[in-house]
């Protein structure tokens, strides 16, 4: 695996290739990331990953400074998964001057759910992803980028950005990888104490239950949804969690299902704090 730290070196390294397949990350990699890299390997003529902890997507009180930097383990895993090029710029290399030019994602998609509880998050994500896309794909007529469904709203925001800017990049979704008990793999699981780790699976259980209840509600879901969500929030709250939201939305636009939306595919999404750790998860309804 070739490791490059500057935009120039990345462009030189990728020059011979026609269709990079790219997995952007913030490092602290786990099997979920490796599944994305494995998926990417089948999609391009060179497999590229990036590691960059993007300050722009953290609020001032969030964990930018303490976000785990696990360089050697990340490199070993990427190498073993068959990644061919790792782009690991430092802040000066990616943001040589203050990144005052930013991508403003569609508020209808980006200002709700995660965007409501982490204002500016998707501006930071969209801006760095656009910049990483420029670095990896340049003016190539095609490329592929793989994003995990665990960050469901992020995947939708990026897809929308790519469509609106007519970027010639296929956005491919990777399924969420879970631990044996059902906890979605996440870099932030490492913050959990052993007791919290045992409890952590309850978020996915609550979402699964909410998804089942939504399915059972059928045509009456629009009417029943507020009560079902309130119940899910209360149940998780009673276990000591601080839920931001547990909600059922349309997969198409993340808006609440309306009466008559019977054929619209749905997704249950949630974010909740367990101790000092904020976890997110989601389940698509079949
Ligand atoms: O999902 C992540 O790890 C980050 O939000 C991303 C897409 C790498 C942008 O910093």
């Amino acid at each position: 695996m070739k490791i490059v730290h500057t935009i120039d070196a990345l462009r030189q390294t990728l020059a011979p290739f026609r269709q990079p397949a790219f997995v952007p990350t913030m490092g602290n990699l786990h099997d979920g990331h490796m599944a994305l890299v494995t998926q990417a390997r089948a999609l391009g003529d060179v497999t590229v990953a990036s590691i960059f902890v993007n300050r722009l997507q953290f609020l001032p009180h969030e964990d930018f400074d303490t976000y785990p930097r696990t360089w050697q383990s990340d490199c070993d895993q990427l190498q073993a998964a068959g990644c061919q090029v790792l782009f690991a710029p430092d802040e000066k290399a990616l943001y040589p001057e203050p990144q005052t030019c930013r991508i403003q994602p569609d508020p209808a998609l980006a200002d709700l759910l995660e965007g409501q509880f982490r204002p500016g998050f998707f501006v930071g994500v969209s801006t760095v992803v656009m910049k990483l896309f420029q670095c990896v794909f340049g003016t190539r007529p095609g490329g592929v980028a793989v994003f995990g469904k665990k960050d469901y709203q992020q995947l939708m925001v990026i897809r929308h950005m790519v469509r609106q800017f007519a970027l010639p990049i296929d956005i491919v979704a990777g399924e969420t990888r879970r631990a044996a008990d059902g906890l979605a793999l996440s870099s932030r699981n490492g913050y959990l104490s052993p007791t919290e780790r045992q409890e952590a699976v309850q978020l996915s259980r609550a979402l699964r239950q909410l998804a089942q209840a939504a399915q059972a509600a059928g045509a009456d879901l629009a009417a029943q949804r507020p009560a079902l969500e309130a119940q899910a929030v209360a149940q998780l709250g009673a276990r000591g969690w601080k839920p931001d939201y547990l909600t059922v939305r349309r997969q198409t636009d993340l808006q609440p299902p309306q009466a008559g939306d019977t054929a619209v595919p749905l997704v249950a999404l949630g974010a909740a704090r367990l101790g000092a750790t904020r976890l997110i998860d989601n389940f698509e309804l079949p």
Side-chain angles (χ1 to χ4, degrees), residues 75-226:
C75 289
D76 293 347
Q77 290 180 68
L78 286 170
Q79 172 96 43
C83 177
Q84 290 157 294
V85 179
L86 169 58
F87 179 42
D90 64 13
E91 281 195 290
K92 272 216 163 66
L94 200 67
Y95 298 138
E97 56 188 86
Q99 186 68 35
T100 48
C101 193
R102 308 230 174 150
I103 299 290
Q104 179 68 59
D106 182 354
L109 203 52
D111 286 2
L112 62 167
L113 305 176
E114 285 305 282
Q116 182 189 338
F117 288 92
R118 305 180 70 191
F121 171 67
F122 287 118
V123 173
V125 168
S126 304
T127 302
V128 78
V129 168
M130 178 64 102
K131 190 147 191 178
L132 290 168
F133 282 178
Q134 297 310 315
C135 299
V136 170
F137 300 111
T139 56
R140 278 181 187 76
V144 178
V146 187
F147 288 82
K149 278 195 193 174
K150 156 87 174 19
D151 296 295
Y152 201 87
Q153 192 177 2
Q154 168 173 281
L155 171 64
M156 292 187 67
V157 167
I158 299 302
R159 279 211 160 115
H160 186 256
M161 175 182 85
V162 162
R163 197 172 68 238
Q164 288 244 317
F165 286 104
L167 304 180
I169 301 166
D170 275 347
I171 303 299
V172 172
E175 292 302 326
T176 301
R177 291 290 293 259
R178 297 183 180 276
D181 65 351
L183 174 68
L185 298 190
S186 161
S187 298
R188 289 190 168 101
N189 291 350
Y191 293 148
L192 300 168
S193 70
T195 321
E196 288 170 341
R197 170 61 191 84
Q198 279 201 321
E199 172 65 20
V201 68
Q202 296 299 334
L203 175 61
S204 67
R205 291 202 183 141
L207 285 169
R208 217 187 271 274
Q209 264 177 26
L210 179 59
Q212 283 162 356
Q215 211 158 22
D220 200 31
L221 176 60
Q224 288 188 30
R225 187 185 66 88

